[in-house]
Amino acid sequence: GDSVTQMEGPVTLSEEAFLTINCTYTATGYPSLFWYVQYPGEGLQLLLKATKADDKGSNKGFEATYRKETTSFHLEKGSVQVSDSAVYFCALRYNFNKFYFGSGTKLNVKP
Amino acid sequence: NAGVTQTPKFQVLKTGQSMTLQCAQDMNHNSMYWYRQDPGMGLRLIYYSASEGTTDKGEVPNGYNVSRLNKREFSLRLESAAPSQTSVYFCASRQAQSTDTQYFGPGTRLTVL
């Protein structure tokens, strides 16, 4: 069945470091792919999305490219800030109504 | 707009007790969802409602029931709580089948002793 696998955390970086959080998926067809972010004590918020192969989603300096050939949707940011500390979830939509989420990767950014 | 609201924020139950988690959205969205979040497992779909008057099972529906009371409200009921249902529960809504973005509530932290 459809599923999402993302790298385990926590990931600890210094401010201004480069961030990559890996996400790979298994799916029939061509699902839409997402990154959600969860700040402490809050619900999830959509960070970015891509709906077809080679699309690049971007928001707040974060980017991810839908790679059909490697079934990946890795999250990147060139220079992280302390305020980026959160848990990041990769997700896919696997029919009109259902979504699969990865297990989440906690990011800690130190000043 | 308040977005998606959930009540209560915290709840402690004893094994065998029942309770209902409430969710409401004021964005006129058609679809609503209930997820549970457990450490190391991400979010898992319990039930969803594609539109008013319909509900369907997700990945982990056992032990739960839902009611789509109207377009705004979608409740989750635990008839006989078990310790395995200790989790954080999130409600989410989405405008329509043609859109991808879900909007999440702040969550309910439930502990079953």
Side-chain angles (χ1 to χ4, degrees):
Chain A
D2 295 5
S3 66
V4 173
T5 303
Q6 62 181 102
M7 64 186 288
E8 291 188 16
V11 174
T12 301
L13 296 173
S14 297
E15 208 165 22
E16 299 184 3
F18 185 85
L19 168 71
T20 300
I21 300 178
N22 290 338
C23 172
T24 57
Y25 67 90
T26 302
T28 53
Y30 303 100
S32 296
L33 300 173
F34 310 84
W35 278 101
Y36 278 82
V37 59
Q38 184 181 30
Y39 298 103
E42 298 183 8
L44 279 69
Q45 304 172 25
L46 179 67
L47 181 60
L48 54 84
K49 67 179 183 181
T51 57
K52 60 183 188 295
D54 300 324
D55 267 2
K56 178 186 282 189
S58 62
N59 186 23
K60 299 180 181 179
F62 291 90
E63 293 182 340
T65 301
Y66 190 139
R67 301 283 187 203
K68 178 170 163 288
E69 62 276 12
T70 54
T71 62
S72 64
F73 192 56
H74 304 321
L75 182 68
E76 296 182 335
K77 187 175 185 183
S79 176
V80 293
Q81 306 300 312
V82 172
S83 58
D84 294 326
S85 297
V87 181
Y88 293 82
F89 292 90
C90 186
L92 65 80
R93 188 177 74 162
Y94 66 100
N95 67 22
F96 282 123
N97 292 304
K98 295 184 180 180
F99 293 76
Y100 263 129
F101 285 81
S103 57
T105 302
K106 185 172 183 179
L107 172 65
N108 296 315
V109 181
K110 295 183 175 180
Chain B
N1 285 351
V4 179
T5 57
Q6 293 182 234
T7 55
K9 290 191 185 315
F10 301 94
Q11 184 70 49
V12 178
L13 292 177
K14 294 181 180 178
T15 297
Q17 288 184 318
S18 63
M19 80 160 295
T20 300
L21 281 63
Q22 306 286 353
C23 173
Q25 52 90 10
D26 62 2
M27 296 175 282
N28 202 35
H29 286 175
N30 290 309
S31 301
M32 298 185 74
Y33 302 78
W34 276 105
Y35 293 91
R36 59 179 288 173
Q37 183 181 27
D38 301 297
M41 300 190 73
L43 273 72
R44 292 182 292 169
L45 181 63
I46 304 171
Y47 271 94
Y48 69 98
S49 170
S51 61
E52 186 179 357
T54 69
T55 60
D56 282 290
K57 296 178 180 179
E59 287 180 81
V60 289
N62 291 344
Y64 305 95
N65 286 300
V66 290
S67 295
R68 184 73 183 268
L69 303 170
N70 47 56
K71 193 170 186 179
R72 290 188 63 247
E73 299 173 287
F74 188 40
S75 62
L76 179 71
R77 183 161 179 83
L78 288 70
E79 290 291 351
S80 179
S84 61
Q85 294 177 305
T86 294
S87 188
V88 180
Y89 291 85
F90 287 100
C91 178
S93 70
R94 181 162 73 105
Q95 184 174 15
Q97 288 190 0
S98 59
T99 61
D100 286 323
T101 305
Q102 292 183 89
Y103 295 83
F104 284 81
T108 295
R109 184 173 293 275
L110 175 67
T111 301
V112 183
L113 302 175

